[in-house]
Amino acid sequence: MVLRDPVFVTYVATAVVFAWIAVVTWRRRSHNPIVAAALTVTMAGACWWSVALTVTRVASNQTVVSLAMLGAFPGASIMVVAFVCLGIAIARPQWTPRRAVLLAMLFEPVLITVAGATNPWFQLVYRGAGAAQLTGPARWTYGPIFWWDTWFSYLEMTIGLGLIAWAWWQASPAFRGQRLAVFLAALVPLVVNVVFLVGGLQNILDPTPIGLAVTGLIVWYAVFRQDLITFSPVARALIVDQIGDAIVVISPSGLVLDLNHAAVELVRAINPHAPAHLIGTPAFELVGKDITTTFSQQTDLVVDRPGGRAEFQVHASALIGHRQQALGTVYVARDVSEANALSRRLAAAHTQLVRQVETIDLLRKDLAEQASRDDLTGLHNRRHMVERFRSMIAAAKDGGEPLTVALFDVDRFKSVNDVFGHLAGDAMLVAHAALMGELAPADALVARWGGEEFFVALPGADAATGLAFANDLRRRCEQAGIVHQGRMIHCTVSGGVATFPASGTTMDELFHAADVALYEAKEAGRNLVRLHRGAGPSTAVAAQVRSVQPRFPERLVAGLGQSVVQDLA
């Protein structure tokens, strides 16, 4: 018979225990409403879970068993969420849950409930043969939502246990034993459930409700019999009178009910003409305002004393009786004059320090940039060029991308200096440098190699693209000129182009190859561009010229002069 089944009897007994604890706890909620509510919901969720497990044990209809298995999740989820709230309430006795926090905590129970209700269609909780038809639950396997919900529940249980452990660690010796008992009692069902899920009990029965029943009894006894979180007041003289903060108790009608020595001194500093007996006096007569309506939960108060101005931070807390009736308001005023002054000095010092650091950083960046630039042309200098070009070669080797370099030299530059002067020569170098910076792609490296020589590295460019760029620059320099002392001066350039890896695979090899090509252009008559012969067959290069990469305008190819055509022939 079913009634003789020990598993059935166990589940029914745990459900009864959970229900009894929930009812008794709720009836005693006036002692501590937050803890009582959290424990009541925890026990109610556990009762729900036990009832569902009982149905799965005794029902003969497979559909009923299937529905009971899916229906157990909302109760277990609510139980875990409430246990987290219980842990918070034990760790922080003054905690009051906000509506937004409660709604966020209900996300997981709602999600698993929806997943369970829609499991025949989506099979997110259980899957396998018969899951869609709600038959054969013994052959079901766990779905993704089941494991997500399980691990999330373990995380929530761990948080709750951690909060109780923290409360045990922070408690005084008189209460540490009680809170340690609660921690160990709550740990038992978690460990047992993990053992059950991994098959440690050969699926005889789910023992978690039994462990939770023991936990519920211990928690209920510790909270409501041993006054686990009830504050036992010490003598008033040790706490109120000797405390440095000013404490004033105001009745709901605005009369002073009590105040300590620090509060008396503060009141007399605010109102030197206050009566000798302050208790029973209207508060607004003492401070010049009705603090029962003016002060919010936290207020700043400035008092002019004979020794100078003092700043206070006032906190207000409602005084509630055992029957939830309002007994008044407690105001605690703390002198924060020194703290505020120090805070202002620190803020000013921090602001000044931040500005100094920003200035230093800007100067450092500016100096670094200036150190990498040529003073005359504004292009990168030789040192920066060598450092960056080394990394460009490494990137070309790693990515297998082409790399083209071009070395330019201003033709007959010495004649410009000799005939027109060095100022004219400098102006010519600046003009050519500006043309190079304007024509070069954004990712190109443009630098002054030295004297009248310039270096350009084009990452991703092949031989044809490099020739097109070099020849277009040569043509632009030929057409452009500078005006010096009313005279137009033209000056051409010659260029040598080398490619990676055909012309070389190291920095020195590519420099040497470009220099050799530049020398050939000079020997051939200047105002020419030459490609290093190591770049490959001339026919291949000519074919590449007709298919220049899209990032270089077609006008570059169209602008190839006779010198390039001869070079490719």
Side-chain angles (χ1 to χ4, degrees):
M1 295 178 61
V2 175
L3 295 179
R4 295 180 180 178
D5 186 353
V7 177
F8 168 78
V9 174
T10 300
Y11 285 161
V12 171
T14 56
V16 172
V17 171
F18 293 144
W20 177 73
I21 296 176
V23 171
V24 175
T25 301
W26 184 249
R27 289 181 176 179
R28 295 172 177 265
R29 63 185 181 276
S30 59
H31 291 267
N32 196 320
I34 303 301
V35 172
L39 185 57
T40 299
V41 177
T42 301
M43 295 298 101
C47 179
W48 182 336
W49 190 10
S50 295
V51 170
L53 292 176
T54 303
V55 174
T56 62
R57 187 71 182 185
V58 301
S60 57
N61 187 286
Q62 291 189 357
T63 301
V64 174
V65 174
S66 301
L67 292 175
M69 290 177 60
L70 294 172
F73 286 99
S77 299
I78 290 294
M79 176 194 66
V80 173
V81 170
F83 179 75
V84 174
C85 294
L86 180 63
I88 298 175
I90 293 177
R92 300 182 59 187
Q94 303 299 326
W95 176 66
T96 300
R98 297 182 180 181
R99 181 178 301 178
V101 175
L102 293 178
L103 291 177
M105 298 180 74
L106 288 175
F107 172 77
E108 183 264 340
V110 172
L111 177 62
I112 192 63
T113 300
V114 173
T118 59
N119 192 75
W121 295 277
F122 303 105
Q123 299 184 28
L124 297 176
V125 181
Y126 289 110
R127 55 180 53 179
Q133 297 78 23
L134 296 178
T135 59
R139 299 188 302 273
W140 291 0
T141 58
Y142 300 131
I145 293 295
F146 174 89
W147 289 116
W148 176 88
D149 180 74
T150 298
W151 290 114
F152 188 81
S153 298
Y154 287 159
L155 175 62
E156 291 180 304
M157 290 290 293
T158 303
I159 292 174
L161 288 170
L163 290 170
I164 296 175
W166 181 84
W168 164 78
W169 182 259
Q170 297 293 326
S172 62
F175 296 101
R176 296 189 70 181
Q178 298 170 342
R179 298 185 180 185
L180 179 60
V182 175
F183 172 80
L184 296 178
L187 187 63
V188 170
L190 179 62
V191 175
V192 171
N193 183 256
V194 173
V195 173
F196 173 72
L197 283 180
V198 299
L201 300 175
Q202 284 75 41
N203 295 327
I204 300 173
L205 78 160
D206 190 345
T208 307
I210 302 175
L212 284 173
V214 176
T215 301
L217 288 173
I218 296 177
V219 171
W220 178 87
Y221 183 80
V223 172
F224 296 101
R225 292 298 184 184
Q226 298 181 346
D227 296 328
L228 175 65
I229 59 173
T230 300
F231 175 69
S232 300
V234 188
R236 178 182 180 277
L238 297 178
I239 296 181
V240 179
D241 286 343
Q242 296 184 13
I243 196 169
D245 297 337
I247 301 177
V248 183
V249 181
I250 307 297
S251 69
S253 60
L255 300 178
V256 177
L257 294 178
D258 201 356
L259 68 170
N260 64 351
H261 295 315
V264 173
E265 294 179 0
L266 177 59
V267 169
R268 298 202 181 281
I270 298 174
N271 184 5
H273 305 290
H277 301 283
L278 300 179
I279 296 178
T281 305
F284 72 91
E285 293 183 3
L286 300 180
V287 298
K289 60 177 71 175
D290 188 359
I291 62 175
T292 60
T293 58
T294 304
F295 283 6
S296 58
Q297 188 174 4
Q298 178 174 320
T299 306
D300 295 328
L301 179 65
V302 179
V303 179
D304 291 323
R305 288 178 167 180
R309 174 169 294 189
E311 300 177 16
F312 290 86
Q313 192 174 72
V314 183
H315 292 268
S317 301
L319 190 60
I320 307 298
H322 291 292
R323 298 182 179 180
Q324 304 301 312
Q325 72 273 23
L327 301 180
T329 306
V330 179
Y331 293 92
V332 180
R334 173 166 297 179
D335 191 342
V336 293
S337 304
E338 295 183 4
N340 287 351
L342 178 60
S343 178
R344 286 189 289 267
R345 290 196 298 269
L346 290 176
H350 178 265
T351 301
Q352 183 179 4
L353 179 61
V354 169
R355 292 176 180 175
Q356 292 176 351
V357 171
E358 291 177 349
T359 302
I360 293 173
D361 188 58
L362 290 175
L363 290 175
R364 182 187 61 78
K365 292 180 179 179
D366 184 61
L367 289 174
E369 181 63 21
Q370 290 181 12
S372 68
R373 294 285 179 178
D374 176 62
D375 294 336
L376 176 63
T377 62
L379 298 178
H380 286 295
N381 56 27
R382 185 168 180 170
R383 183 181 65 180
H384 176 83
M385 180 205 72
V386 171
E387 294 177 356
R388 185 177 171 191
F389 187 50
R390 184 179 290 109
S391 63
M392 295 174 72
I393 294 178
K397 291 179 179 179
D398 295 339
E401 296 291 333
L403 173 65
T404 298
V405 299
L407 192 62
F408 297 96
D409 183 84
V410 181
D411 296 329
R412 297 184 176 87
F413 182 71
K414 184 176 183 302
S415 300
V416 176
N417 286 332
D418 294 341
V419 176
F420 301 101
H422 288 281
L423 293 179
D426 290 347
M428 182 63 70
L429 293 178
V430 171
H432 285 341
L435 285 175
M436 291 181 188
E438 175 186 346
L439 189 61
D443 59 347
L445 170 62
V446 183
R448 184 182 180 187
W449 176 250
E452 64 272 21
E453 291 183 328
F454 299 90
F455 177 84
V456 179
L458 305 170
D462 55 13
T465 303
L467 279 173
F469 168 79
N471 191 67
D472 189 60
L473 177 62
R474 177 201 61 77
R475 180 175 52 82
R476 293 277 295 274
C477 291
E478 180 183 11
Q479 296 173 353
I482 63 170
V483 178
H484 180 73
Q485 296 181 351
R487 300 181 61 182
M488 176 64 71
I489 304 174
H490 291 276
C491 200
T492 61
V493 298
S494 298
V497 179
T499 60
F500 171 90
S503 299
T505 58
T506 66
M507 183 170 56
D508 292 340
E509 291 175 353
L510 290 173
F511 281 156
H512 177 72
D515 191 49
V516 170
L518 173 62
Y519 179 78
E520 293 177 357
K522 290 283 189 179
E523 289 295 314
R526 296 183 177 85
N527 194 21
L528 298 173
V529 174
R530 284 291 184 263
L531 175 67
H532 184 253
R533 295 298 180 178
S538 59
T539 55
V541 175
Q544 293 176 15
V545 172
R546 291 190 291 271
S547 60
V548 180
Q549 296 181 8
R551 68 191 185 109
F552 289 87
E554 293 184 0
R555 62 181 178 82
L556 301 187
V557 182
L560 289 173
Q562 184 64 28
S563 61
V564 178
V565 175
Q566 293 174 359
D567 193 37
L568 297 176

